[in-house]
Amino acid sequence: MGLIINALKHPILISYLSGANNYSFVHFRTGEQLLVSKSLSFLEKQLPDFIRIHKTLLLNPDCILKLQNQGSSKTGGAVLLEDGTVLTVSRRQWPLLLNTIGVGIDQHLLEPERSIAFVTNDVTKSLLLRQLINAQWPMTLLHVTDNGSLLSQLLVMTGVNRPELLLFDLRQATPNRIALIQELKETPRLRRLPIVLLIAPNTGLTRSGYALKANSIVVIPEDNSEFLSIMEEVCRYWLTMASLPTGQYR
């Protein structure tokens, strides 16, 4: 039972579930799979925001990239997921899926008031942070990238919601990200951007991080629940209490 509770603790990390009799596979967005000794019907009750698209499939609607209509009243359709997976949707469940996705599209048409960027290659932590931002600060857009050059391009592009706060994950790719931070702090029109460094415990990066003129350095744990708790405090300060340099680095 412990494995099941752990798997369902953060539904945003799950892509879909597939059932076979009294067993189910939990397919995570990281590509991992977990076999649990529970039926899909049981798991459906634990995941009320997921959609039953087939008698053997339970889907996280946030993972849908595209709908594929089969063009026949006697068939349903299919969904293309963000990782390229294609899942069949039964004819009976197709209208429910269309209705649910339609609501989601309307919500995403809202223009964000601001944006922040998270530089990381940790898929799990980025999904959890996106869930937190969407729930607590829905008018804030989160850009996630593991590529420093893409962040640099984003900061100079016109016609996009450019980040006003930068979160750097220094638990990986440390030399490249430190070089990018140095570049930002040496660029006159970008040096005002607040930078928060996220480091692992006992890494000794605190002193060198502040030497780079970072605005904050936060130690984050591997445990997902503890990570969410700490990031909620970090975001609450920077998005609620602090005044971000909106429009001051153009």
Side-chain angles (χ1 to χ4, degrees):
M1 191 67 178
L3 277 177
I4 299 170
I5 293 173
N6 221 27
L8 303 183
K9 203 170 189 180
H10 303 291
I12 193 172
L13 302 180
I14 300 173
S15 178
Y16 67 99
L17 303 96
S18 56
N21 297 322
N22 291 322
Y23 290 86
S24 300
F25 277 100
V26 182
H27 302 261
F28 293 95
R29 295 169 83 167
T30 57
E32 299 172 297
Q33 295 182 24
L34 176 67
L35 178 64
V36 296
S37 57
K38 290 293 180 181
S39 68
L40 205 59
S41 296
F42 171 86
L43 296 172
E44 184 177 12
K45 294 176 183 177
Q46 313 305 312
L47 299 165
D49 293 330
F50 281 45
I51 307 171
R52 190 74 169 260
I53 61 171
H54 191 276
K55 64 180 180 180
T56 62
L57 294 170
L58 184 63
L59 174 66
N60 179 355
D62 289 340
C63 297
I64 297 175
L65 183 64
K66 185 179 180 181
L67 299 182
Q68 299 177 343
N69 194 335
Q70 301 300 324
S72 169
S73 61
K74 295 183 179 180
T75 59
V79 289
L80 174 65
L81 304 188
E82 57 192 1
D83 65 354
T85 300
V86 177
L87 300 177
T88 300
V89 184
S90 71
R91 178 176 58 85
R92 183 174 296 177
Q93 296 303 105
W94 184 252
L96 172 63
L97 178 63
L98 290 179
N99 182 61
T100 303
I101 299 304
V103 171
I105 290 173
D106 290 340
Q107 291 174 340
H108 286 91
L109 289 176
L110 294 173
E111 183 69 24
E113 296 174 350
R114 61 194 168 193
S115 73
I116 63 178
F118 185 25
V119 183
T120 185
N121 52 6
D122 189 326
V123 176
T124 297
K125 294 294 189 285
S126 63
L127 288 170
L128 290 170
L129 182 60
R130 190 180 299 281
Q131 178 189 45
L132 173 67
I133 296 294
N134 289 343
Q136 299 287 344
W137 298 278
M139 297 304 290
T140 297
L141 176 65
L142 177 67
H143 300 282
V144 177
T145 178
D146 62 356
N147 189 320
S149 62
L150 290 180
L151 175 62
S152 298
Q153 293 173 25
L154 185 62
L155 291 172
V156 300
M157 287 173 65
T158 58
V160 299
N161 202 306
R162 292 181 288 187
E164 300 166 16
L165 172 67
L166 307 179
L167 306 173
F168 278 83
D169 186 353
L170 290 192
R171 296 173 304 144
Q172 341 91 333
T174 303
N176 292 339
R177 289 173 190 168
I178 286 178
L180 177 57
I181 294 167
Q182 290 174 324
E183 178 186 334
L184 293 174
K185 289 301 182 181
E186 291 170 1
T187 304
R189 62 191 183 80
L190 298 177
R191 63 174 56 146
R192 297 187 186 90
L193 277 173
I195 292 178
V196 177
L197 306 185
L198 307 180
I199 65 173
N202 306 314
T203 56
L205 288 173
T206 300
R207 179 174 296 181
S208 57
Y210 281 120
L212 290 169
K213 300 180 181 179
N215 298 81
S216 292
I217 296 177
V218 179
V219 176
I220 59 171
E222 283 300 317
D223 180 81
N224 289 333
S225 296
E226 292 179 17
F227 169 79
L228 273 176
S229 178
I230 289 173
M231 291 309 298
E232 182 172 4
E233 293 185 39
V234 171
C235 292
R236 190 170 303 283
Y237 171 75
W238 285 105
L239 299 179
T240 305
M241 300 175 64
S243 179
L244 296 176
T246 308
Q248 296 180 15
Y249 63 101
R250 302 180 189 279

